Amino acid sequence: MRGLSRSNRIVAIAATAWALALFTAGPRATDQQRPAATAANAHRDLSLFAHSDDCVACHNNLSAANGEDVSIGASWRSTIMAHSSRDPYWQASVRREAIDHPSRSADIQDECAACHMPMPRRIAHAAGAKGEVFSHLPIARDQSALQRLAGDGVSCTLCHQIAPDGLGTRDNFNANFVMKPTPPDGARPIYGNHEVDAGRRTIMHSVTGFQQEAAPHIKQSELCATCHTLITQALGPDGAVIGELHEQMNFQEWQHSDYAKTDQRSCQSCHMPAVAGPIRIASVLGDERDSLARHSFVGGNAHMLRLLNRFRNELGVTAPASELEATARTTIRQLQQDTATIRVSAPQLASGRLAFDVEVTNLTGHKFPTGYPSRRAWLHVTVRDARGRIAFESGAISEAASITGNDNDRDAAAYEPHYEEISSADQVQIYESIIGDRAGAVTTGLLTATQYLKDNRLLPRGFDKATAAPEIGVFGAASTDRDFAGGGDRVRYRVPVSGDGPHRVEVELRYQAIGFRWAANLEPIKADEAARFVSYYKATAAGSSVVVAAATVTVESRTP
């Protein structure tokens, strides 16, 4: 480029980057292609979003100083967020709700698409229509521009277009975030952490149709809250609204904890941990920055990642198998290192009973488990005699992924209470939320639920259950348990044992993203999506739970 003026060099660089991006990304919904994506949707403005392929071209091939691959595109494409629309459990659950409330099927699809198929839903809203789910299934059926956006899940130009307007307020929850109108020059703003120069703005616009704008809200928890705060309306038999359920309140739980009040740690600090710089955030003409936020969005659903990988052909999964497995392992590592700890007191043996306490500490900045109410954690406690035989056991998991002794796994109409003390093998301490309908019956139908019958999920440090708002409250026996407080729980075990000592006490804190009952209740649903997911769940039941923490202690005394 020697001899060219500075402006011409910028144009030449932009053209080179644009060509590189197209070559790397493959098929792309260009401005010329977008209006004719499908005949049925020709009136819809697909230029509101770009496919992630358009972004990966410049935001891959990134390395930390230690050689770690921190490529934004490669990290994101193996996440749950990238597969939100392919998630077979979500698809089955939407179908179940549509069957339960047939007169509101269109509204249900629109509401559920808001977070799982957000781009087609926003495009539909811009055209005065409702978002759809079933019309986009199966995900990989064609490669039209709209269908590719449906399969892109929670993608780059979705999160990075969320404007700061109203963030953290109720009007903004349930994915009701604000997106700025397209300006007269057609360059939609894309929000990031850094200011960029005019040349790089030109490159970005030429490749994706978007133009960078520095915005501090991209690093704030309120950004995440817009989709991770869900308040669902309960529906009666005629489709009328009969109540509401504060279904997912991660943000509000965090606000009531020390993580927000004193530590000032955001959602991003845990789920997008920073890579220390100097580091480039773009492989094409990227400047070195002080840090880079990992886009691995690590949560707690390793089971679904491996399920997606195993049934990748049926679900249209395109992320490399090795990357999905790597993200699953990273998820498990976070669960085991940064989620919770347990401590067992010195056991005391007397009159054929072993007494000890188990203390569980929550290391997260919200309830554990948080989010969708299918999630649960529990204590699996085993006492072994001198020969290694089981003298007592509470909370064993079966091959079908049910918890032995759990009333809810045995009977859909019942549930296991919260315990201050456990004295028999059929009692299990399960940290979970149990939802109920208007009559107080246990349900797994979100749009039937109006209340929590039980919520003893572990509280984050600094969480005061006495002053917590009802929507993030503690329900059931845990509300009066003095040992259940901000930071964790203590459970007393006074259990009968047999055989000679020394006795060894083994304690595990186990976690399941999709509890047995939530899968089993889909089995009677007469729909392909439900039948498919139930078959997947049964095939992967052995890997449905993770040991989050473990501890072992031994008591030397013999039974008198």
Side-chain angles (χ1 to χ4, degrees):
M1 298 182 186
R2 185 176 301 171
L4 293 179
S5 67
R6 182 177 182 277
S7 60
N8 285 338
R9 285 200 303 271
I10 290 174
V11 172
I13 290 169
T16 301
W18 180 79
L20 173 63
L22 290 184
F23 178 80
T24 307
R28 173 175 175 258
T30 65
D31 292 337
Q32 289 74 26
Q33 293 170 328
R34 281 169 180 148
T38 63
N41 293 292
H43 65 290
R44 300 193 176 184
D45 183 9
L46 303 187
S47 66
L48 291 174
F49 301 98
H51 191 273
S52 58
D53 283 353
D54 295 356
C55 306
V56 167
C58 291
H59 292 285
N60 260 1
N61 301 314
L62 306 176
S63 297
N66 63 1
E68 177 190 0
D69 185 352
V70 291
S71 298
I72 293 173
S75 297
W76 166 83
R77 68 188 175 199
S78 60
T79 65
I80 291 291
M81 292 180 75
H83 293 87
S84 60
S85 61
R86 290 177 167 85
D87 182 339
Y89 181 54
W90 171 73
Q91 294 175 6
S93 298
V94 178
R95 180 66 78 181
R96 180 255 177 96
E97 297 291 355
I99 290 173
D100 285 351
H101 311 282
S103 66
R104 298 293 298 274
S105 177
D107 294 324
I108 290 168
Q109 291 183 65
D110 181 63
E111 184 79 3
C112 295
C115 290
H116 284 258
M117 283 184 181
M119 293 187 288
R121 194 245 195 182
R122 280 280 167 159
I123 291 168
H125 278 212
K130 292 180 180 180
E132 299 175 353
V133 173
F134 305 131
S135 65
H136 294 295
L137 301 181
I139 286 296
R141 71 168 189 267
D142 63 56
Q143 287 297 298
S144 67
L146 185 63
Q147 186 65 6
R148 291 183 73 230
L149 290 177
D152 219 23
V154 182
S155 188
C156 317
T157 58
L158 187 282
C159 291
H160 286 275
Q161 281 198 88
I162 296 177
D165 310 49
L167 288 181
T169 66
R170 174 155 180 158
D171 287 345
N172 201 260
F173 299 150
N174 284 41
N176 290 318
F177 50 83
V178 173
M179 284 175 51
K180 297 295 187 182
T182 302
D185 64 0
R188 294 186 58 79
I190 200 85
Y191 300 108
N193 289 339
H194 306 287
E195 293 283 358
V196 296
D197 59 40
R200 288 174 175 82
R201 287 165 66 90
T202 300
I203 294 171
M204 181 80 159
H205 185 212
S206 68
V207 174
T208 68
F210 297 89
Q211 197 160 268
Q212 301 103 313
E213 183 175 321
H217 74 273
I218 205 77
K219 298 188 288 186
Q220 297 170 352
S221 294
E222 286 78 2
L223 179 78
C224 308
T226 187
C227 279
H228 289 279
T229 302
L230 297 180
I231 303 168
T232 53
Q233 292 185 328
L235 304 175
D238 60 352
V241 175
I242 60 172
E244 69 177 20
L245 182 77
H246 290 83
E247 176 204 326
Q248 297 185 41
M249 306 296 288
N250 315 33
F251 173 67
Q252 290 75 13
E253 295 161 10
W254 168 82
Q255 281 185 312
H256 197 59
S257 77
D258 281 350
Y259 285 76
K261 292 183 290 187
T262 60
D263 299 356
Q264 297 184 338
R265 293 185 60 187
S266 66
C267 303
Q268 291 91 329
S269 69
C270 291
H271 298 283
M272 300 180 68
V275 181
I279 188 170
R280 298 171 69 195
I281 62 173
S283 55
V284 178
L285 300 179
D287 283 335
E288 288 191 336
R289 305 294 187 181
D290 292 337
S291 65
L292 165 67
R294 288 181 174 88
H295 282 59
S296 49
F297 300 104
V298 180
N301 204 345
H303 177 207
M304 180 55 68
L305 289 167
R306 284 175 167 161
L307 186 153
L308 287 162
N309 215 356
R310 179 169 174 177
F311 300 102
R312 57 187 299 111
N313 293 333
E314 296 174 41
L315 297 172
V317 172
T318 57
S322 59
E323 291 180 4
L324 276 168
E325 177 57 24
T327 302
R329 291 179 180 176
T330 301
T331 301
I332 292 172
R333 184 164 58 250
Q334 173 158 292
L335 282 169
Q336 294 179 335
Q337 294 180 357
D338 303 319
T339 302
T341 61
I342 55 177
R343 188 182 73 84
V344 183
S345 67
Q348 302 293 321
L349 183 63
S351 302
R353 283 191 171 267
L354 195 63
F356 55 92
D357 293 349
V358 175
E359 292 186 10
V360 188
T361 300
N362 179 11
L363 302 180
T364 73
H366 42 64
K367 291 182 180 180
F368 176 68
T370 193
Y372 194 73
S374 67
R375 300 169 181 175
R376 63 185 182 181
W378 72 97
L379 291 174
H380 175 210
V381 176
T382 307
V383 180
R384 298 183 183 274
D385 64 17
R387 298 184 180 182
R389 297 173 301 190
I390 293 177
F392 173 86
E393 187 172 24
S394 164
I397 187 168
S398 75
E399 292 182 359
S402 62
I403 302 172
T404 304
N406 177 23
D407 289 347
N408 187 235
D409 287 353
R410 176 185 54 81
D411 179 358
Y415 64 92
E416 194 76 0
H418 172 84
Y419 293 99
E420 296 183 32
E421 180 175 304
I422 285 179
S423 57
S424 64
D426 63 349
Q427 298 173 329
V428 189
Q429 186 73 315
I430 306 175
Y431 302 109
E432 62 185 345
S433 56
I434 298 291
I435 56 178
D437 64 15
R438 189 163 56 171
V442 178
T443 183
T444 55
L446 285 181
L447 302 187
T448 303
T450 62
Q451 60 182 306
Y452 284 94
L453 305 177
K454 171 191 178 184
D455 186 352
N456 70 334
R457 292 173 294 165
L458 292 162
L459 305 175
R461 175 169 43 83
F463 189 105
D464 184 351
K465 65 182 180 182
T467 61
E471 57 263 28
I472 57 171
V474 177
F475 295 91
S479 62
T480 57
D481 180 358
R482 293 183 179 180
D483 293 325
F484 182 87
D489 182 34
R490 183 177 66 186
V491 189
R492 298 185 298 275
Y493 283 79
R494 308 291 185 264
V495 301
V497 294
S498 57
D500 291 334
H503 288 91
R504 187 171 74 252
V505 178
E506 303 168 349
V507 182
E508 296 176 333
L509 178 66
R510 282 189 167 267
Y511 165 76
Q512 254 182 338
I514 305 172
F516 171 84
R517 177 52 54 196
W518 286 79
N521 280 2
L522 290 173
E523 195 156 9
I525 305 299
K526 304 301 182 184
D528 291 343
E529 296 88 352
R532 181 180 63 182
F533 173 72
V534 170
S535 71
Y536 291 169
Y537 189 84
K538 290 180 177 180
T540 59
S544 67
S545 70
V546 175
V547 176
V548 173
T552 301
V553 296
T554 301
V555 56
E556 298 295 341
S557 304
R558 288 178 173 270
T559 303

